[in-house]
Amino acid sequence: MRPSGRPYAHPVCIGVALGLVLALGWPRVLSAQGPPTGLSRVERSFTDLKVPADISADEMAYSRERDELAANGHVRLTQGTLTLQADQALLHRASGHLTATGGIKANNGTDQLEGETLDLDLNTRSGVLTRGRLFLPRDRYRLTGERIERLPDDHYRLERATITTCECDESKGERPAWRVRARRLTIQPEHYLIARGVVFDIKNVPVAYLPYLIWPVKTERQTGLLQPHLGYSTSEGWKIRQPLYLTLGPSQDATLTLDHRAERGTGGTMEYRYRLSRRSQGQIDVELFHDRITGGSRRRVSTAQAVDFSDRLQLRVQGEYVSDDAVLRDLQSSITDRTKRTVESNLFLTYHDPYQTMTLLARYTQDLDVAVDTDTHLLPSLEYRLVDARAWNAPLFVSLQGSATNFWRRTGFSTQRADLFPILVWRQEAPLGLIFTPRVGVRETAYSKDALGGDPARRELGVAGLGIADPARREWSRSNGGLLIHAIEPAVLYTYVGERGDENLPRFDEVDDISEQHLITASVINRLITEAPRQGEGGTPVPGLEVLWVRLTESYRVRRRVDPVSGMVPPTWSAVRGEATWRPDTALLFDVDASYDHTRRTFTTVDVDAQLAWKPYWDLTLGHRSTSDADPGAVPPRALTRRGDLLDPLSLGGLDAVQRDAIDYYIVGTHLYLPMGITLANKAYRNRQTNAYTEIDYGLQYNGQCWSVTFTYQDLPEKNELSVMLTLVGAISVDSRMVSGLFESPSKPPN
């Protein structure tokens, strides 16, 4: 089993194809037949072979003196998957020598061969093809040679050869966009291609010369150097990454990469991959860099492992470690890496069946914004969840959540917590389409230490609630025979949570943030769906398009008290959350998620994405991300409405009072598709507060029939970077990841 994601050297499958065409497809046992006495006996000798073969021509004659069969005019030979056409063919029975001339065309499977003359010794399986042309559709290789010779020791020798993947008609004066020429070329299947006097041409213009070239032609993976990655940065100078690929067996491989930056330093990367079976695979990446600017060695280690012990038991490991808080910001070009505030390592061992899930979780967190290690790690946590198990045949459903967690800190004290939350839900349908869902439960939480690291602490919460929903829909017939459907889904949920009890409790996550509640949450969903007419009489309907989806949500506090978590008195009415997706057709998409705070009289969060496309000419993506600041110490205090909690994912009753700065920026991305395979791309991030761009990416890409070239330029506040990606289909590629996804057309709103 091969590891996934490995780089492969491109195999030039010339030897295998020529072996099939020049030798294996021919009736080698002809020399074992008795001497033919007439044309009818020659025909029988072909049809009596173990692998039947047929030959036909306008004229055929046999010479007893020379023991030769001559065929003239539209000669055609077929044997299995091999077909051969020629103007004339001469077969000498005693020696097994075949000569074919004029308009030679041969096909073996999908491989195609053409030439002027063919001399073939059927006994030794050696032969010579002059002015030959070979096309291998699987790899898109097009090969020519003034003389193509197959030697008895299974070697192949080509003189004045060319190799390319470009399709062109040289009889009309067309020239390939690129090709490799060689004075002499030798091939041994499953070994190497050795060429002398190598010239690399672009549009028939020589641009590079190599006196000697060795290239693997193995169908299996092969250890060797891969193509270099090139780039330039205003702060780091010229950059080169040279990878070396290593095969470590049938199920493992690795890539070692030299990373040299002229103005910064030198380092290296190791990527190790394995795939032991269909149920076990993984990868480990290690990056080391000696940074002359900081004067030390910097490291990054990441891993991803996946093991499926069975369909119900899986292991997932995702880990990342960095040697210092600024290594990603200083050495990476991806905006995702440069803006990371934390890196996490997680281990999940999960068992699940249709009713329940059990997870063993270990999580180690590294905060990149805080120099002192005060992070809290889960080492480990065991969680159990039973979801909506029906009790008997009644509309009564039982759910259970439980966890046991060890919170470990490098500095400070560690704490253990046990949490158990059983809940009963009754689902009752009523007249007028109403659906009632009363629920009741109790949550018991115990801690080995209180918030000050002293005695054990515990908390008991009584939980009750009542949900009411009244979905409805209406349909209208359209002139084209389809339907227009409007669906509305109003719902109201009342949630009661009793007293917290001991208030001197540790605070680690959302389990500890649950506080006393008398909360009513109302939401209404509107859907507008267009359904196309059925295909044919009595046919099945075509899937509909949801043109519009809108949801409004707001929570009301029946009783206001100081929130023990934030220390603030929450408002009676929460912020209003509005979500909408509008897609009138496949060319336009608009998505928004925003919250409006009555108290502050402003939108506290705004996430907007719009996509407009006019294929195949252009597409445009616009985005806006905005989050207001939070400062519990201000007068009046400022906080953000927390979206959802463990009891109700739609609830807006909680407050997020952690102090944070405001975020407000725009994202613009566009692609312009020009004639001749040219694409222009641009993506920009603009900070609305500073009225300055934080990053601008430019790209130009040309896609030809057999090659492409991409130029990208990245404008960052601290540096600028230029990269080039050159791809010659089937031969060479120089790859760069400076601007990830710049040329990827949008398919959905970004997260």
Side-chain angles (χ1 to χ4, degrees):
M1 188 70 65
R2 296 176 177 173
S4 61
R6 73 171 64 83
Y8 279 85
H10 294 285
V12 183
C13 305
I14 303 168
V16 176
L18 289 178
L20 292 171
V21 173
L22 296 180
L24 300 179
W26 294 94
R28 184 182 178 186
V29 294
L30 276 174
S31 58
Q33 302 294 325
T37 59
L39 184 57
S40 59
R41 291 192 59 189
V42 174
E43 290 179 347
R44 285 196 302 270
S45 67
F46 275 85
T47 57
D48 291 341
L49 291 175
K50 184 177 181 181
V51 179
D54 298 311
I55 187 171
S56 63
D58 294 342
E59 297 179 356
M60 286 190 290
Y62 175 71
S63 172
R64 290 180 177 273
E65 295 180 0
R66 295 188 297 271
D67 197 12
E68 291 178 345
L69 173 69
N72 296 289
H74 301 93
V75 179
R76 180 180 179 85
L77 181 141
T78 61
Q79 184 184 42
T81 60
L82 173 68
T83 63
L84 173 68
Q85 300 179 36
D87 294 338
Q88 298 90 28
L90 182 64
L91 174 64
H92 190 271
R93 192 201 65 82
S95 63
H97 183 269
L98 174 72
T99 301
T101 59
I104 294 176
K105 294 183 179 180
N107 292 275
N108 188 65
T110 59
D111 298 339
Q112 304 170 19
L113 180 71
E114 296 181 0
E116 292 187 358
T117 64
L118 173 66
D119 290 316
L120 183 64
D121 188 328
L122 299 176
N123 294 309
T124 63
R125 299 185 180 181
S126 60
V128 176
L129 179 70
T130 61
R131 296 186 180 274
R133 294 178 298 276
L134 177 65
F135 176 49
L136 306 174
R138 184 183 62 180
D139 301 305
R140 298 176 62 181
Y141 283 114
R142 299 177 185 273
L143 174 75
T144 67
E146 287 292 323
R147 188 174 186 273
I148 302 176
E149 180 181 5
R150 183 182 190 276
L151 305 176
D153 56 356
D154 206 25
H155 280 62
Y156 299 87
R157 181 180 300 152
L158 292 82
E159 296 182 359
R160 301 182 65 183
T162 68
I163 302 174
T164 185
T165 57
C166 301
E167 181 179 356
C168 62
D169 190 348
E170 297 191 16
S171 64
K172 298 180 180 180
E174 298 178 0
R175 294 292 182 264
W178 68 268
R179 68 178 178 180
V180 175
R181 291 186 287 124
R183 186 177 67 252
R184 178 173 294 181
L185 188 148
T186 303
I187 307 167
Q188 184 177 9
E190 295 301 320
H191 286 81
Y192 293 94
L193 176 151
I194 301 175
R196 294 172 175 84
V198 178
V199 179
F200 177 67
D201 290 347
I202 294 181
K203 283 294 184 181
N204 217 32
V205 177
V207 297
Y209 171 78
L210 289 174
Y212 196 77
L213 174 67
I214 299 179
W215 190 267
V217 292
K218 291 189 175 184
T219 56
E220 296 294 328
R221 296 168 297 133
Q222 176 67 24
T223 296
L225 292 174
L226 301 178
Q227 293 78 24
H229 298 194
L230 306 175
Y232 177 79
S233 169
T234 55
S235 63
E236 298 174 333
W238 288 102
K239 304 165 65 175
I240 181 170
R241 292 172 58 86
Q242 176 60 63
L244 171 65
Y245 177 71
L246 304 174
T247 57
L248 304 177
S251 59
Q252 304 174 71
D253 61 18
T255 304
L256 305 179
T257 304
L258 173 67
D259 182 3
H260 177 71
R261 310 182 190 190
E263 303 297 329
R264 181 135 207 168
T266 303
T269 302
M270 184 203 73
E271 304 171 42
Y272 167 72
R273 296 165 292 270
Y274 73 87
R275 188 180 179 92
L276 303 180
S277 68
R278 289 183 300 172
R279 293 179 174 270
S280 177
Q281 60 181 321
Q283 179 169 336
I284 301 174
D285 298 341
V286 179
E287 300 179 29
L288 300 175
F289 193 84
H290 179 71
D291 195 336
R292 294 199 302 267
I293 295 179
T294 61
S297 178
R298 314 183 79 174
R299 301 172 299 280
R300 181 187 188 185
V301 181
S302 60
T303 183
Q305 317 288 330
V307 181
D308 294 341
F309 300 103
S310 66
D311 293 338
R312 295 185 175 183
L313 182 63
Q314 291 93 28
L315 173 67
R316 299 291 184 267
V317 178
Q318 295 177 337
E320 186 173 10
Y321 163 80
V322 293
S323 59
D324 59 87
D325 298 340
V327 63
L328 298 180
R329 184 171 59 253
D330 292 345
L331 300 181
Q332 301 298 321
S333 297
S334 167
I335 190 171
T336 303
D337 288 333
R338 291 189 297 106
T339 56
K340 277 186 177 180
R341 294 186 174 182
T342 62
V343 294
E344 284 187 354
S345 298
N346 295 287
L347 182 148
F348 296 90
L349 181 61
T350 304
Y351 171 84
H352 63 89
D353 59 35
Y355 301 102
Q356 58 189 342
T357 302
M358 182 179 294
T359 302
L360 177 65
L361 166 64
R363 173 176 297 156
Y364 186 90
T365 305
Q366 188 176 357
D367 195 327
L368 303 182
D369 290 337
V370 181
V372 181
D373 186 1
T374 58
D375 302 321
T376 302
H377 314 284
L378 278 63
L379 299 174
S381 176
L382 181 62
E383 300 177 0
Y384 175 81
R385 184 181 295 267
L386 176 68
V387 181
D388 293 339
R390 189 162 187 169
W392 305 283
N393 293 324
L396 179 65
F397 300 89
V398 180
S399 296
L400 176 64
Q401 300 177 26
S403 65
T405 307
N406 175 44
F407 297 97
W408 178 80
R409 288 172 174 162
R410 188 180 298 273
T411 58
F413 62 89
S414 301
T415 305
Q416 292 76 46
R417 184 189 70 194
D419 179 67
L420 187 64
F421 180 32
I423 189 169
L424 298 176
V425 179
W426 184 278
R427 189 179 187 276
Q428 182 65 53
E429 296 184 3
L432 303 178
L434 295 175
I435 300 176
F436 292 90
T437 52
R439 56 179 179 167
V440 62
V442 60
R443 188 153 206 151
E444 180 77 22
T445 309
Y447 304 85
S448 62
K449 298 177 183 178
D450 60 19
L452 302 178
D455 297 332
R458 59 190 297 269
R459 181 193 66 184
E460 292 182 356
L461 297 176
V463 178
L466 175 64
I468 304 176
D470 186 18
R473 60 181 281 163
R474 186 175 180 181
E475 299 179 355
W476 292 270
S477 298
R478 305 173 67 189
S479 59
N480 63 355
L483 295 176
L484 178 64
I485 303 172
H486 176 227
I488 184 170
E489 302 172 12
V492 177
L493 178 64
Y494 170 72
T495 302
Y496 167 81
V497 178
E499 298 287 343
R500 285 174 56 98
D502 190 345
E503 299 299 337
N504 192 25
L505 299 176
R507 183 185 176 191
F508 298 107
D509 53 29
E510 61 273 12
V511 172
D512 310 311
D513 290 344
I514 300 175
S515 59
E516 179 187 0
Q517 290 185 20
H518 284 277
L519 191 69
I520 298 176
T521 300
S523 70
V524 58
I525 297 176
N526 277 274
R527 287 189 173 98
L528 194 62
I529 304 170
T530 60
E531 188 174 285
R534 296 175 181 267
Q535 295 291 334
E537 186 176 354
T540 58
V542 178
L545 173 66
E546 190 171 62
V547 177
L548 182 65
W549 180 90
V550 179
R551 179 168 66 188
L552 297 175
T553 308
E554 188 173 16
S555 294
Y556 172 79
R557 286 188 174 273
V558 178
R559 183 169 57 183
R560 295 178 61 195
R561 287 188 178 183
V562 176
D563 182 14
V565 177
S566 64
M568 299 174 57
V569 179
T572 302
W573 291 94
S574 72
V576 179
R577 182 182 183 184
E579 304 163 87
T581 299
W582 178 47
R583 188 164 199 163
D585 55 47
T586 57
L588 177 63
L589 175 63
F590 181 81
D591 187 84
V592 61
D593 187 350
S595 296
Y596 180 81
D597 193 313
H598 304 282
T599 305
R600 302 175 66 172
R601 297 184 178 181
T602 186
F603 286 95
T604 52
T605 59
V606 176
D607 292 331
V608 179
D609 290 290
Q611 295 177 6
L612 181 62
W614 188 14
K615 296 297 180 68
Y617 303 106
W618 55 268
D619 58 61
L620 176 67
T621 302
L622 302 174
H624 182 206
R625 304 288 184 269
S626 175
T627 303
S628 300
D629 65 331
D631 187 358
V635 180
R638 297 189 296 272
L640 300 177
T641 299
R642 183 180 300 147
R643 297 178 175 181
D645 57 33
L646 291 179
L647 303 177
D648 179 12
L650 296 180
S651 169
L652 300 174
L655 293 178
D656 187 354
V658 178
Q659 185 166 346
R660 66 184 67 194
D661 296 330
I663 299 174
D664 196 353
Y665 65 95
Y666 296 104
I667 307 172
V668 180
T670 183
H671 299 91
L672 182 61
Y673 306 99
L674 302 177
M676 301 176 61
I678 298 175
T679 302
L680 301 178
N682 172 252
K683 193 169 187 179
Y685 302 83
R686 185 176 181 84
N687 190 321
R688 187 183 176 190
Q689 296 170 297
T690 62
N691 200 30
Y693 288 99
T694 58
E695 180 177 337
I696 307 178
D697 304 329
Y698 304 92
L700 184 150
Q701 185 178 79
Y702 169 76
N703 283 294
Q705 180 264 329
C706 58
W707 71 289
S708 68
V709 61
T710 303
F711 299 92
T712 57
Y713 179 78
Q714 191 175 29
D715 187 358
L716 304 173
E718 67 278 5
K719 61 182 178 180
N720 300 325
E721 292 195 5
L722 174 68
S723 67
V724 179
M725 180 173 67
L726 176 65
T727 301
L728 305 179
V729 177
I732 185 172
S733 65
V734 180
D735 193 7
S736 173
R737 301 180 183 177
M738 273 189 172
V739 186
S740 177
L742 182 58
F743 286 93
E744 294 180 1
S745 298
S747 58
K748 60 180 180 179
N751 295 326

